[in-house]
Amino acid sequence: MVQKKILVTSKEFLLFWKENGPFRYALTCNEYPPVLMELDEWIFSNDIFELLKCLMQFEPRKMKFVKAPFNPKNTKILRPEKLSAWKINHFPEEWNACNSDVFIPEGHLTQTTLDRIDRIDRIDRIDRIDCDEDPDGENDAVQVEKVFFQSLEQEIENLGYLLLAPQGTSKNAAIKTYLEEWEKDDIDAGLV
């Protein structure tokens, strides 16, 4: 389950956290103007993949992982070496200007995305799936989606977001230090 909420002050955040949480993950935009979010908006979830899908507006935009319209093994076609054979249809235009190791504009996934998690073992499994066994490529897409979101989680702060996640053996997002700084800022701004 994912919850979205606009929280302007640290007091509002803490009250929301106590009434609806605790959560494993909390995410907000660290830039102004915010990208893919409203000003002072937070997304909360216990599932990082669902949180990232909500941020990308995965369902409303009807995004889907699909084979890219080229064969990476065909060396006669000129294409950047870092591209993988996968892309995300209906990718957020807002991220086309992002500098990322995970994707390039229009949602083309990079080879880094596939190399990053469980390196050779996972990629070998994706490459070995026979088209006759899975004619629609659904098993491939599920595996690539999982790898993409694992990679995106590692890179989300480089894209201008703040992700509060569990630290150490905690089961919930580490919010204490962030809230202390936020409360101090609220006091300095005269909001509290």
Side-chain angles (χ1 to χ4, degrees):
M1 183 171 96
V2 177
Q3 292 188 36
K4 293 171 83 172
K5 185 76 174 171
I6 294 180
L7 303 166
V8 179
T9 66
S10 59
K11 227 176 209 178
E12 290 175 345
F13 183 99
L14 192 55
L15 181 62
F16 179 81
W17 188 268
K18 285 181 179 178
E19 289 176 355
N20 298 282
F23 300 94
R24 242 177 115 62
Y25 302 97
L27 178 94
T28 193
C29 197
N30 231 1
E31 296 183 349
Y32 183 84
V35 178
L36 293 175
M37 297 180 84
E38 299 294 322
L39 186 61
D40 299 318
E41 183 175 33
W42 285 84
I43 303 173
F44 299 92
S45 182
N46 290 323
D47 183 324
I48 188 65
F49 292 178
E50 292 302 317
L51 182 138
L52 294 172
K53 282 183 173 185
C54 179
L55 170 66
M56 292 176 69
Q57 301 164 12
F58 207 83
E59 296 299 322
R61 292 180 187 221
K62 298 181 178 161
M63 290 185 202
K64 185 176 181 180
F65 287 82
V66 296
K67 289 277 192 171
F70 61 83
N71 180 350
K73 294 177 184 173
N74 184 350
T75 56
K76 294 178 183 178
I77 296 174
L78 186 61
R79 68 169 180 82
E81 287 182 21
K82 73 179 209 171
L83 284 185
S84 76
W86 291 90
K87 72 175 281 189
I88 302 173
N89 277 351
H90 309 290
F91 190 75
E93 277 183 41
E94 297 87 341
W95 280 4
N96 282 343
C98 291
N99 184 14
S100 171
D101 288 337
V102 177
F103 58 84
I104 64 168
E106 304 302 322
H108 288 277
L109 304 186
T110 65
Q111 193 60 42
T112 304
T113 306
L114 300 180
D115 289 345
R116 203 175 248 181
I117 310 296
D118 294 337
R119 273 201 177 278
I120 297 165
D121 182 47
R122 191 174 304 269
I123 293 168
D124 282 348
R125 254 187 299 159
I126 291 169
D127 288 342
R128 275 190 254 133
I129 294 175
D130 188 347
C131 289
D132 294 336
E133 294 174 21
D134 185 20
D136 298 327
E138 289 179 27
N139 290 331
D140 291 6
V142 168
Q143 195 67 20
V144 170
E145 179 177 329
K146 181 178 179 181
V147 170
F148 170 77
F149 283 114
Q150 288 171 337
S151 299
L152 185 60
E153 176 187 2
Q154 294 173 9
E155 189 173 274
I156 196 69
E157 292 193 9
N158 295 338
L159 299 178
Y161 297 91
L162 171 69
L163 176 65
L164 301 177
Q167 292 181 351
T169 59
S170 177
K171 294 180 180 179
N172 303 314
I175 64 168
K176 184 177 180 183
T177 303
Y178 182 77
L179 276 179
E180 287 171 357
E181 291 175 19
W182 191 1
E183 186 175 12
K184 184 180 179 294
D185 290 344
D186 284 353
I187 291 169
D188 291 346
L191 299 172
V192 178

